[in-house]
Structures are given as structure tokens and as C-alpha cells.
Amino acid sequence: MYRDVWNLHGVPLDELKALWDEYDGSNCPGGFSGEAIHLVLNLRGHGAYCPV
């Protein structure tokens, strides 16, 4: 997961949100884990975009 977080660091916010929108709880959009996408959104202050 740490590698995913590192690789998502430079992804633009709109692309990051699109990856989250593709996440269904079991897949890996763009090859990234949903947990990593969620974490990066939270780190950027956009955690409200993906409430759980």
C-alpha cells in the first residue's frame, strides 16, 4: 500500500477522485488499492469526498 500512496502523490485531484469513483470495494482502479486512494484523498484534505 505504501508504494501505491507514493505513486498517487503526484496524481491530479480530479484523476484521484475518478479513481475513487471506480473503486467498488474489491477492485484496484488504475492498479491502486482503494485504501491507498482513500488515504491520499484524506491526506490532501478531501476525505469528505469518500465518506465510509
PDB file of all heavy atoms in Angstrom, residues 3-40:
ATOM      1  N   ARG A   3       3.620   1.829  -1.475  1.00  0.00           N
ATOM      2  CA  ARG A   3       4.042   2.128  -2.847  1.00  0.00           C
ATOM      3  C   ARG A   3       2.916   2.819  -3.604  1.00  0.00           C
ATOM      4  O   ARG A   3       3.149   3.777  -4.337  1.00  0.00           O
ATOM      5  CB  ARG A   3       4.452   0.843  -3.558  1.00  0.00           C
ATOM      6  CG  ARG A   3       4.955   1.064  -4.967  1.00  0.00           C
ATOM      7  CD  ARG A   3       5.459  -0.222  -5.584  1.00  0.00           C
ATOM      8  NE  ARG A   3       4.640  -1.354  -5.215  1.00  0.00           N
ATOM      9  CZ  ARG A   3       4.004  -2.141  -6.074  1.00  0.00           C
ATOM     10  NH1 ARG A   3       4.138  -1.934  -7.353  1.00  0.00           N
ATOM     11  NH2 ARG A   3       3.273  -3.132  -5.666  1.00  0.00           N
ATOM     12  N   ASP A   4       1.682   2.341  -3.402  1.00  0.00           N
ATOM     13  CA  ASP A   4       0.527   2.981  -4.047  1.00  0.00           C
ATOM     14  C   ASP A   4       0.389   4.428  -3.590  1.00  0.00           C
ATOM     15  O   ASP A   4       0.168   5.321  -4.407  1.00  0.00           O
ATOM     16  CB  ASP A   4      -0.769   2.231  -3.731  1.00  0.00           C
ATOM     17  CG  ASP A   4      -0.937   0.957  -4.539  1.00  0.00           C
ATOM     18  OD1 ASP A   4      -0.113   0.696  -5.439  1.00  0.00           O
ATOM     19  OD2 ASP A   4      -1.895   0.225  -4.257  1.00  0.00           O
ATOM     20  N   VAL A   5       0.504   4.663  -2.290  1.00  0.00           N
ATOM     21  CA  VAL A   5       0.381   6.023  -1.757  1.00  0.00           C
ATOM     22  C   VAL A   5       1.460   6.911  -2.375  1.00  0.00           C
ATOM     23  O   VAL A   5       1.187   8.037  -2.794  1.00  0.00           O
ATOM     24  CB  VAL A   5       0.462   6.028  -0.216  1.00  0.00           C
ATOM     25  CG1 VAL A   5       0.557   7.444   0.323  1.00  0.00           C
ATOM     26  CG2 VAL A   5      -0.741   5.315   0.383  1.00  0.00           C
ATOM     27  N   TRP A   6       2.689   6.398  -2.441  1.00  0.00           N
ATOM     28  CA  TRP A   6       3.782   7.168  -3.028  1.00  0.00           C
ATOM     29  C   TRP A   6       3.479   7.493  -4.492  1.00  0.00           C
ATOM     30  O   TRP A   6       3.670   8.630  -4.940  1.00  0.00           O
ATOM     31  CB  TRP A   6       5.087   6.389  -2.904  1.00  0.00           C
ATOM     32  CG  TRP A   6       6.232   7.090  -3.554  1.00  0.00           C
ATOM     33  CD1 TRP A   6       6.768   6.825  -4.771  1.00  0.00           C
ATOM     34  CD2 TRP A   6       6.973   8.186  -3.021  1.00  0.00           C
ATOM     35  NE1 TRP A   6       7.806   7.676  -5.025  1.00  0.00           N
ATOM     36  CE2 TRP A   6       7.950   8.534  -3.968  1.00  0.00           C
ATOM     37  CE3 TRP A   6       6.903   8.907  -1.826  1.00  0.00           C
ATOM     38  CZ2 TRP A   6       8.847   9.569  -3.757  1.00  0.00           C
ATOM     39  CZ3 TRP A   6       7.803   9.940  -1.635  1.00  0.00           C
ATOM     40  CH2 TRP A   6       8.753  10.251  -2.585  1.00  0.00           C
ATOM     41  N   ASN A   7       3.021   6.511  -5.234  1.00  0.00           N
ATOM     42  CA  ASN A   7       2.748   6.715  -6.657  1.00  0.00           C
ATOM     43  C   ASN A   7       1.551   7.619  -6.902  1.00  0.00           C
ATOM     44  O   ASN A   7       1.468   8.272  -7.944  1.00  0.00           O
ATOM     45  CB  ASN A   7       2.557   5.374  -7.360  1.00  0.00           C
ATOM     46  CG  ASN A   7       3.847   4.596  -7.456  1.00  0.00           C
ATOM     47  OD1 ASN A   7       4.929   5.155  -7.500  1.00  0.00           O
ATOM     48  ND2 ASN A   7       3.737   3.289  -7.474  1.00  0.00           N
ATOM     49  N   LEU A   8       0.616   7.684  -5.966  1.00  0.00           N
ATOM     50  CA  LEU A   8      -0.552   8.545  -6.111  1.00  0.00           C
ATOM     51  C   LEU A   8      -0.266   9.982  -5.696  1.00  0.00           C
ATOM     52  O   LEU A   8      -1.072  10.869  -5.939  1.00  0.00           O
ATOM     53  CB  LEU A   8      -1.717   8.000  -5.268  1.00  0.00           C
ATOM     54  CG  LEU A   8      -2.389   6.751  -5.803  1.00  0.00           C
ATOM     55  CD1 LEU A   8      -3.293   6.138  -4.735  1.00  0.00           C
ATOM     56  CD2 LEU A   8      -3.193   7.065  -7.063  1.00  0.00           C
ATOM     57  N   HIS A   9       0.864  10.211  -5.080  1.00  0.00           N
ATOM     58  CA  HIS A   9       1.210  11.529  -4.557  1.00  0.00           C
ATOM     59  C   HIS A   9       1.099  12.632  -5.610  1.00  0.00           C
ATOM     60  O   HIS A   9       0.592  13.708  -5.324  1.00  0.00           O
ATOM     61  CB  HIS A   9       2.622  11.493  -3.964  1.00  0.00           C
ATOM     62  CG  HIS A   9       3.074  12.806  -3.418  1.00  0.00           C
ATOM     63  ND1 HIS A   9       2.568  13.328  -2.253  1.00  0.00           N
ATOM     64  CD2 HIS A   9       3.971  13.698  -3.884  1.00  0.00           C
ATOM     65  CE1 HIS A   9       3.139  14.490  -2.019  1.00  0.00           C
ATOM     66  NE2 HIS A   9       3.991  14.736  -2.993  1.00  0.00           N
ATOM     67  N   GLY A  10       1.535  12.365  -6.822  1.00  0.00           N
ATOM     68  CA  GLY A  10       1.532  13.385  -7.863  1.00  0.00           C
ATOM     69  C   GLY A  10       0.327  13.374  -8.781  1.00  0.00           C
ATOM     70  O   GLY A  10       0.250  14.179  -9.706  1.00  0.00           O
ATOM     71  N   VAL A  11      -0.626  12.497  -8.511  1.00  0.00           N
ATOM     72  CA  VAL A  11      -1.810  12.400  -9.374  1.00  0.00           C
ATOM     73  C   VAL A  11      -2.712  13.606  -9.124  1.00  0.00           C
ATOM     74  O   VAL A  11      -3.001  13.943  -7.975  1.00  0.00           O
ATOM     75  CB  VAL A  11      -2.575  11.080  -9.092  1.00  0.00           C
ATOM     76  CG1 VAL A  11      -3.888  11.037  -9.842  1.00  0.00           C
ATOM     77  CG2 VAL A  11      -1.705   9.891  -9.462  1.00  0.00           C
ATOM     78  N   PRO A  12      -3.150  14.294 -10.183  1.00  0.00           N
ATOM     79  CA  PRO A  12      -4.058  15.437 -10.005  1.00  0.00           C
ATOM     80  C   PRO A  12      -5.339  15.023  -9.265  1.00  0.00           C
ATOM     81  O   PRO A  12      -5.802  13.880  -9.385  1.00  0.00           O
ATOM     82  CB  PRO A  12      -4.372  15.875 -11.429  1.00  0.00           C
ATOM     83  CG  PRO A  12      -3.252  15.339 -12.257  1.00  0.00           C
ATOM     84  CD  PRO A  12      -2.826  14.068 -11.589  1.00  0.00           C
ATOM     85  N   LEU A  13      -5.895  15.956  -8.533  1.00  0.00           N
ATOM     86  CA  LEU A  13      -7.065  15.685  -7.699  1.00  0.00           C
ATOM     87  C   LEU A  13      -8.237  15.129  -8.502  1.00  0.00           C
ATOM     88  O   LEU A  13      -8.886  14.175  -8.062  1.00  0.00           O
ATOM     89  CB  LEU A  13      -7.489  16.948  -6.950  1.00  0.00           C
ATOM     90  CG  LEU A  13      -8.656  16.799  -5.996  1.00  0.00           C
ATOM     91  CD1 LEU A  13      -8.371  15.759  -4.908  1.00  0.00           C
ATOM     92  CD2 LEU A  13      -9.010  18.136  -5.375  1.00  0.00           C
ATOM     93  N   ASP A  14      -8.513  15.671  -9.664  1.00  0.00           N
ATOM     94  CA  ASP A  14      -9.652  15.170 -10.445  1.00  0.00           C
ATOM     95  C   ASP A  14      -9.451  13.718 -10.871  1.00  0.00           C
ATOM     96  O   ASP A  14     -10.397  12.935 -10.890  1.00  0.00           O
ATOM     97  CB  ASP A  14      -9.950  16.069 -11.643  1.00  0.00           C
ATOM     98  CG  ASP A  14      -8.785  16.224 -12.607  1.00  0.00           C
ATOM     99  OD1 ASP A  14      -7.623  16.102 -12.179  1.00  0.00           O
ATOM    100  OD2 ASP A  14      -9.048  16.472 -13.802  1.00  0.00           O
ATOM    101  N   GLU A  15      -8.210  13.344 -11.185  1.00  0.00           N
ATOM    102  CA  GLU A  15      -7.930  11.950 -11.538  1.00  0.00           C
ATOM    103  C   GLU A  15      -8.031  11.044 -10.315  1.00  0.00           C
ATOM    104  O   GLU A  15      -8.511   9.913 -10.415  1.00  0.00           O
ATOM    105  CB  GLU A  15      -6.546  11.827 -12.164  1.00  0.00           C
ATOM    106  CG  GLU A  15      -6.445  12.452 -13.537  1.00  0.00           C
ATOM    107  CD  GLU A  15      -5.060  12.330 -14.137  1.00  0.00           C
ATOM    108  OE1 GLU A  15      -4.377  11.318 -13.856  1.00  0.00           O
ATOM    109  OE2 GLU A  15      -4.662  13.245 -14.874  1.00  0.00           O
ATOM    110  N   LEU A  16      -7.594  11.548  -9.173  1.00  0.00           N
ATOM    111  CA  LEU A  16      -7.679  10.780  -7.936  1.00  0.00           C
ATOM    112  C   LEU A  16      -9.142  10.507  -7.579  1.00  0.00           C
ATOM    113  O   LEU A  16      -9.513   9.396  -7.205  1.00  0.00           O
ATOM    114  CB  LEU A  16      -6.982  11.553  -6.820  1.00  0.00           C
ATOM    115  CG  LEU A  16      -6.665  10.820  -5.541  1.00  0.00           C
ATOM    116  CD1 LEU A  16      -5.761   9.625  -5.794  1.00  0.00           C
ATOM    117  CD2 LEU A  16      -6.033  11.768  -4.547  1.00  0.00           C
ATOM    118  N   LYS A  17      -9.983  11.524  -7.726  1.00  0.00           N
ATOM    119  CA  LYS A  17     -11.417  11.347  -7.465  1.00  0.00           C
ATOM    120  C   LYS A  17     -12.032  10.364  -8.453  1.00  0.00           C
ATOM    121  O   LYS A  17     -12.889   9.560  -8.078  1.00  0.00           O
ATOM    122  CB  LYS A  17     -12.137  12.691  -7.532  1.00  0.00           C
ATOM    123  CG  LYS A  17     -11.842  13.577  -6.345  1.00  0.00           C
ATOM    124  CD  LYS A  17     -12.588  14.900  -6.457  1.00  0.00           C
ATOM    125  CE  LYS A  17     -12.397  15.761  -5.237  1.00  0.00           C
ATOM    126  NZ  LYS A  17     -13.135  17.036  -5.338  1.00  0.00           N
ATOM    127  N   ALA A  18     -11.597  10.407  -9.700  1.00  0.00           N
ATOM    128  CA  ALA A  18     -12.115   9.462 -10.705  1.00  0.00           C
ATOM    129  C   ALA A  18     -11.724   8.033 -10.333  1.00  0.00           C
ATOM    130  O   ALA A  18     -12.539   7.110 -10.491  1.00  0.00           O
ATOM    131  CB  ALA A  18     -11.592   9.823 -12.090  1.00  0.00           C
ATOM    132  N   LEU A  19     -10.504   7.846  -9.825  1.00  0.00           N
ATOM    133  CA  LEU A  19     -10.099   6.512  -9.379  1.00  0.00           C
ATOM    134  C   LEU A  19     -10.994   6.055  -8.239  1.00  0.00           C
ATOM    135  O   LEU A  19     -11.423   4.897  -8.197  1.00  0.00           O
ATOM    136  CB  LEU A  19      -8.632   6.519  -8.935  1.00  0.00           C
ATOM    137  CG  LEU A  19      -7.590   6.659 -10.029  1.00  0.00           C
ATOM    138  CD1 LEU A  19      -6.206   6.876  -9.428  1.00  0.00           C
ATOM    139  CD2 LEU A  19      -7.593   5.446 -10.939  1.00  0.00           C
ATOM    140  N   TRP A  20     -11.283   6.958  -7.306  1.00  0.00           N
ATOM    141  CA  TRP A  20     -12.149   6.599  -6.182  1.00  0.00           C
ATOM    142  C   TRP A  20     -13.541   6.221  -6.686  1.00  0.00           C
ATOM    143  O   TRP A  20     -14.156   5.277  -6.208  1.00  0.00           O
ATOM    144  CB  TRP A  20     -12.246   7.732  -5.162  1.00  0.00           C
ATOM    145  CG  TRP A  20     -13.173   7.387  -4.049  1.00  0.00           C
ATOM    146  CD1 TRP A  20     -14.438   7.856  -3.846  1.00  0.00           C
ATOM    147  CD2 TRP A  20     -12.940   6.442  -2.992  1.00  0.00           C
ATOM    148  NE1 TRP A  20     -14.994   7.280  -2.738  1.00  0.00           N
ATOM    149  CE2 TRP A  20     -14.089   6.409  -2.197  1.00  0.00           C
ATOM    150  CE3 TRP A  20     -11.865   5.626  -2.650  1.00  0.00           C
ATOM    151  CZ2 TRP A  20     -14.196   5.581  -1.079  1.00  0.00           C
ATOM    152  CZ3 TRP A  20     -11.977   4.811  -1.537  1.00  0.00           C
ATOM    153  CH2 TRP A  20     -13.135   4.806  -0.767  1.00  0.00           C
ATOM    154  N   ASP A  21     -14.053   6.964  -7.651  1.00  0.00           N
ATOM    155  CA  ASP A  21     -15.381   6.683  -8.202  1.00  0.00           C
ATOM    156  C   ASP A  21     -15.442   5.304  -8.850  1.00  0.00           C
ATOM    157  O   ASP A  21     -16.503   4.679  -8.886  1.00  0.00           O
ATOM    158  CB  ASP A  21     -15.782   7.754  -9.212  1.00  0.00           C
ATOM    159  CG  ASP A  21     -16.046   9.107  -8.569  1.00  0.00           C
ATOM    160  OD1 ASP A  21     -16.272   9.159  -7.340  1.00  0.00           O
ATOM    161  OD2 ASP A  21     -16.010  10.116  -9.292  1.00  0.00           O
ATOM    162  N   GLU A  22     -14.317   4.812  -9.364  1.00  0.00           N
ATOM    163  CA  GLU A  22     -14.266   3.487  -9.984  1.00  0.00           C
ATOM    164  C   GLU A  22     -14.149   2.369  -8.954  1.00  0.00           C
ATOM    165  O   GLU A  22     -14.420   1.212  -9.271  1.00  0.00           O
ATOM    166  CB  GLU A  22     -13.069   3.392 -10.929  1.00  0.00           C
ATOM    167  CG  GLU A  22     -13.165   4.255 -12.148  1.00  0.00           C
ATOM    168  CD  GLU A  22     -11.918   4.167 -13.008  1.00  0.00           C
ATOM    169  OE1 GLU A  22     -11.262   3.105 -13.020  1.00  0.00           O
ATOM    170  OE2 GLU A  22     -11.587   5.173 -13.662  1.00  0.00           O
ATOM    171  N   TYR A  23     -13.733   2.709  -7.753  1.00  0.00           N
ATOM    172  CA  TYR A  23     -13.499   1.696  -6.718  1.00  0.00           C
ATOM    173  C   TYR A  23     -14.828   1.118  -6.244  1.00  0.00           C
ATOM    174  O   TYR A  23     -15.752   1.848  -5.909  1.00  0.00           O
ATOM    175  CB  TYR A  23     -12.740   2.323  -5.551  1.00  0.00           C
ATOM    176  CG  TYR A  23     -12.408   1.366  -4.447  1.00  0.00           C
ATOM    177  CD1 TYR A  23     -11.672   0.218  -4.686  1.00  0.00           C
ATOM    178  CD2 TYR A  23     -12.833   1.601  -3.150  1.00  0.00           C
ATOM    179  CE1 TYR A  23     -11.363  -0.668  -3.669  1.00  0.00           C
ATOM    180  CE2 TYR A  23     -12.523   0.735  -2.121  1.00  0.00           C
ATOM    181  CZ  TYR A  23     -11.792  -0.394  -2.385  1.00  0.00           C
ATOM    182  OH  TYR A  23     -11.487  -1.265  -1.371  1.00  0.00           O
ATOM    183  N   ASP A  24     -14.923  -0.219  -6.211  1.00  0.00           N
ATOM    184  CA  ASP A  24     -16.175  -0.866  -5.798  1.00  0.00           C
ATOM    185  C   ASP A  24     -16.029  -1.686  -4.515  1.00  0.00           C
ATOM    186  O   ASP A  24     -16.922  -2.444  -4.154  1.00  0.00           O
ATOM    187  CB  ASP A  24     -16.725  -1.740  -6.925  1.00  0.00           C
ATOM    188  CG  ASP A  24     -15.869  -2.961  -7.225  1.00  0.00           C
ATOM    189  OD1 ASP A  24     -14.872  -3.218  -6.506  1.00  0.00           O
ATOM    190  OD2 ASP A  24     -16.187  -3.673  -8.191  1.00  0.00           O
ATOM    191  N   GLY A  25     -14.904  -1.534  -3.854  1.00  0.00           N
ATOM    192  CA  GLY A  25     -14.691  -2.266  -2.610  1.00  0.00           C
ATOM    193  C   GLY A  25     -13.818  -3.487  -2.771  1.00  0.00           C
ATOM    194  O   GLY A  25     -13.340  -4.043  -1.789  1.00  0.00           O
ATOM    195  N   SER A  26     -13.611  -3.906  -4.011  1.00  0.00           N
ATOM    196  CA  SER A  26     -12.787  -5.101  -4.217  1.00  0.00           C
ATOM    197  C   SER A  26     -11.828  -4.992  -5.399  1.00  0.00           C
ATOM    198  O   SER A  26     -10.961  -5.847  -5.560  1.00  0.00           O
ATOM    199  CB  SER A  26     -13.683  -6.331  -4.410  1.00  0.00           C
ATOM    200  OG  SER A  26     -14.457  -6.186  -5.587  1.00  0.00           O
ATOM    201  N   ASN A  27     -11.970  -3.963  -6.200  1.00  0.00           N
ATOM    202  CA  ASN A  27     -11.106  -3.838  -7.373  1.00  0.00           C
ATOM    203  C   ASN A  27      -9.931  -2.897  -7.083  1.00  0.00           C
ATOM    204  O   ASN A  27      -9.808  -2.355  -5.989  1.00  0.00           O
ATOM    205  CB  ASN A  27     -11.901  -3.349  -8.587  1.00  0.00           C
ATOM    206  CG  ASN A  27     -12.489  -1.970  -8.382  1.00  0.00           C
ATOM    207  OD1 ASN A  27     -12.579  -1.465  -7.270  1.00  0.00           O
ATOM    208  ND2 ASN A  27     -12.917  -1.340  -9.457  1.00  0.00           N
ATOM    209  N   CYS A  28      -9.083  -2.704  -8.054  1.00  0.00           N
ATOM    210  CA  CYS A  28      -7.910  -1.827  -7.937  1.00  0.00           C
ATOM    211  C   CYS A  28      -7.879  -0.882  -9.135  1.00  0.00           C
ATOM    212  O   CYS A  28      -7.159  -1.131 -10.101  1.00  0.00           O
ATOM    213  CB  CYS A  28      -6.629  -2.645  -7.876  1.00  0.00           C
ATOM    214  SG  CYS A  28      -6.475  -3.663  -6.413  1.00  0.00           S
ATOM    215  N   PRO A  29      -8.637   0.211  -9.074  1.00  0.00           N
ATOM    216  CA  PRO A  29      -8.674   1.144 -10.202  1.00  0.00           C
ATOM    217  C   PRO A  29      -7.283   1.697 -10.526  1.00  0.00           C
ATOM    218  O   PRO A  29      -6.556   2.143  -9.630  1.00  0.00           O
ATOM    219  CB  PRO A  29      -9.585   2.268  -9.716  1.00  0.00           C
ATOM    220  CG  PRO A  29     -10.346   1.693  -8.568  1.00  0.00           C
ATOM    221  CD  PRO A  29      -9.460   0.657  -7.972  1.00  0.00           C
ATOM    222  N   GLY A  30      -6.917   1.629 -11.775  1.00  0.00           N
ATOM    223  CA  GLY A  30      -5.616   2.121 -12.186  1.00  0.00           C
ATOM    224  C   GLY A  30      -4.458   1.340 -11.598  1.00  0.00           C
ATOM    225  O   GLY A  30      -3.321   1.783 -11.640  1.00  0.00           O
ATOM    226  N   GLY A  31      -4.743   0.192 -11.003  1.00  0.00           N
ATOM    227  CA  GLY A  31      -3.711  -0.607 -10.367  1.00  0.00           C
ATOM    228  C   GLY A  31      -3.424  -0.204  -8.927  1.00  0.00           C
ATOM    229  O   GLY A  31      -2.471  -0.695  -8.334  1.00  0.00           O
ATOM    230  N   PHE A  32      -4.248   0.683  -8.359  1.00  0.00           N
ATOM    231  CA  PHE A  32      -4.057   1.172  -6.990  1.00  0.00           C
ATOM    232  C   PHE A  32      -5.119   0.603  -6.066  1.00  0.00           C
ATOM    233  O   PHE A  32      -6.284   0.455  -6.449  1.00  0.00           O
ATOM    234  CB  PHE A  32      -4.146   2.702  -6.949  1.00  0.00           C
ATOM    235  CG  PHE A  32      -3.122   3.382  -7.801  1.00  0.00           C
ATOM    236  CD1 PHE A  32      -3.492   3.964  -9.000  1.00  0.00           C
ATOM    237  CD2 PHE A  32      -1.802   3.424  -7.426  1.00  0.00           C
ATOM    238  CE1 PHE A  32      -2.555   4.601  -9.805  1.00  0.00           C
ATOM    239  CE2 PHE A  32      -0.849   4.056  -8.216  1.00  0.00           C
ATOM    240  CZ  PHE A  32      -1.234   4.638  -9.410  1.00  0.00           C
ATOM    241  N   SER A  33      -4.718   0.332  -4.840  1.00  0.00           N
ATOM    242  CA  SER A  33      -5.697  -0.163  -3.868  1.00  0.00           C
ATOM    243  C   SER A  33      -6.655   0.962  -3.469  1.00  0.00           C
ATOM    244  O   SER A  33      -6.275   2.136  -3.435  1.00  0.00           O
ATOM    245  CB  SER A  33      -4.986  -0.707  -2.624  1.00  0.00           C
ATOM    246  OG  SER A  33      -4.416   0.351  -1.865  1.00  0.00           O
ATOM    247  N   GLY A  34      -7.878   0.586  -3.184  1.00  0.00           N
ATOM    248  CA  GLY A  34      -8.866   1.565  -2.736  1.00  0.00           C
ATOM    249  C   GLY A  34      -8.443   2.235  -1.439  1.00  0.00           C
ATOM    250  O   GLY A  34      -8.705   3.422  -1.229  1.00  0.00           O
ATOM    251  N   GLU A  35      -7.779   1.485  -0.569  1.00  0.00           N
ATOM    252  CA  GLU A  35      -7.319   2.045   0.698  1.00  0.00           C
ATOM    253  C   GLU A  35      -6.299   3.156   0.466  1.00  0.00           C
ATOM    254  O   GLU A  35      -6.312   4.187   1.140  1.00  0.00           O
ATOM    255  CB  GLU A  35      -6.716   0.950   1.579  1.00  0.00           C
ATOM    256  CG  GLU A  35      -7.722  -0.063   2.071  1.00  0.00           C
ATOM    257  CD  GLU A  35      -8.021  -1.169   1.051  1.00  0.00           C
ATOM    258  OE1 GLU A  35      -7.383  -1.193  -0.021  1.00  0.00           O
ATOM    259  OE2 GLU A  35      -8.903  -1.991   1.338  1.00  0.00           O
ATOM    260  N   ALA A  36      -5.415   2.957  -0.503  1.00  0.00           N
ATOM    261  CA  ALA A  36      -4.403   3.971  -0.812  1.00  0.00           C
ATOM    262  C   ALA A  36      -5.054   5.218  -1.405  1.00  0.00           C
ATOM    263  O   ALA A  36      -4.690   6.343  -1.044  1.00  0.00           O
ATOM    264  CB  ALA A  36      -3.367   3.402  -1.765  1.00  0.00           C
ATOM    265  N   ILE A  37      -6.008   5.032  -2.295  1.00  0.00           N
ATOM    266  CA  ILE A  37      -6.712   6.168  -2.890  1.00  0.00           C
ATOM    267  C   ILE A  37      -7.416   6.960  -1.795  1.00  0.00           C
ATOM    268  O   ILE A  37      -7.328   8.188  -1.739  1.00  0.00           O
ATOM    269  CB  ILE A  37      -7.720   5.691  -3.960  1.00  0.00           C
ATOM    270  CG1 ILE A  37      -6.998   4.978  -5.101  1.00  0.00           C
ATOM    271  CG2 ILE A  37      -8.536   6.868  -4.492  1.00  0.00           C
ATOM    272  CD1 ILE A  37      -7.908   4.191  -6.028  1.00  0.00           C
ATOM    273  N   HIS A  38      -8.094   6.260  -0.906  1.00  0.00           N
ATOM    274  CA  HIS A  38      -8.805   6.893   0.201  1.00  0.00           C
ATOM    275  C   HIS A  38      -7.844   7.660   1.098  1.00  0.00           C
ATOM    276  O   HIS A  38      -8.106   8.806   1.476  1.00  0.00           O
ATOM    277  CB  HIS A  38      -9.558   5.822   0.986  1.00  0.00           C
ATOM    278  CG  HIS A  38     -10.465   6.355   2.029  1.00  0.00           C
ATOM    279  ND1 HIS A  38     -10.717   5.675   3.189  1.00  0.00           N
ATOM    280  CD2 HIS A  38     -11.175   7.496   2.120  1.00  0.00           C
ATOM    281  CE1 HIS A  38     -11.546   6.368   3.939  1.00  0.00           C
ATOM    282  NE2 HIS A  38     -11.838   7.480   3.306  1.00  0.00           N
ATOM    283  N   LEU A  39      -6.717   7.057   1.417  1.00  0.00           N
ATOM    284  CA  LEU A  39      -5.724   7.691   2.277  1.00  0.00           C
ATOM    285  C   LEU A  39      -5.180   8.964   1.641  1.00  0.00           C
ATOM    286  O   LEU A  39      -5.073  10.006   2.305  1.00  0.00           O
ATOM    287  CB  LEU A  39      -4.582   6.722   2.581  1.00  0.00           C
ATOM    288  CG  LEU A  39      -3.446   7.286   3.432  1.00  0.00           C
ATOM    289  CD1 LEU A  39      -3.947   7.755   4.786  1.00  0.00           C
ATOM    290  CD2 LEU A  39      -2.357   6.241   3.598  1.00  0.00           C
ATOM    291  N   VAL A  40      -4.863   8.924   0.364  1.00  0.00           N
ATOM    292  CA  VAL A  40      -4.320  10.107  -0.304  1.00  0.00           C
ATOM    293  C   VAL A  40      -5.356  11.216  -0.361  1.00  0.00           C
ATOM    294  O   VAL A  40      -5.029  12.395  -0.149  1.00  0.00           O
ATOM    295  CB  VAL A  40      -3.770   9.751  -1.701  1.00  0.00           C
ATOM    296  CG1 VAL A  40      -3.369  10.989  -2.478  1.00  0.00           C
ATOM    297  CG2 VAL A  40      -2.589   8.799  -1.569  1.00  0.00           C
TER     298      VAL A  40
END
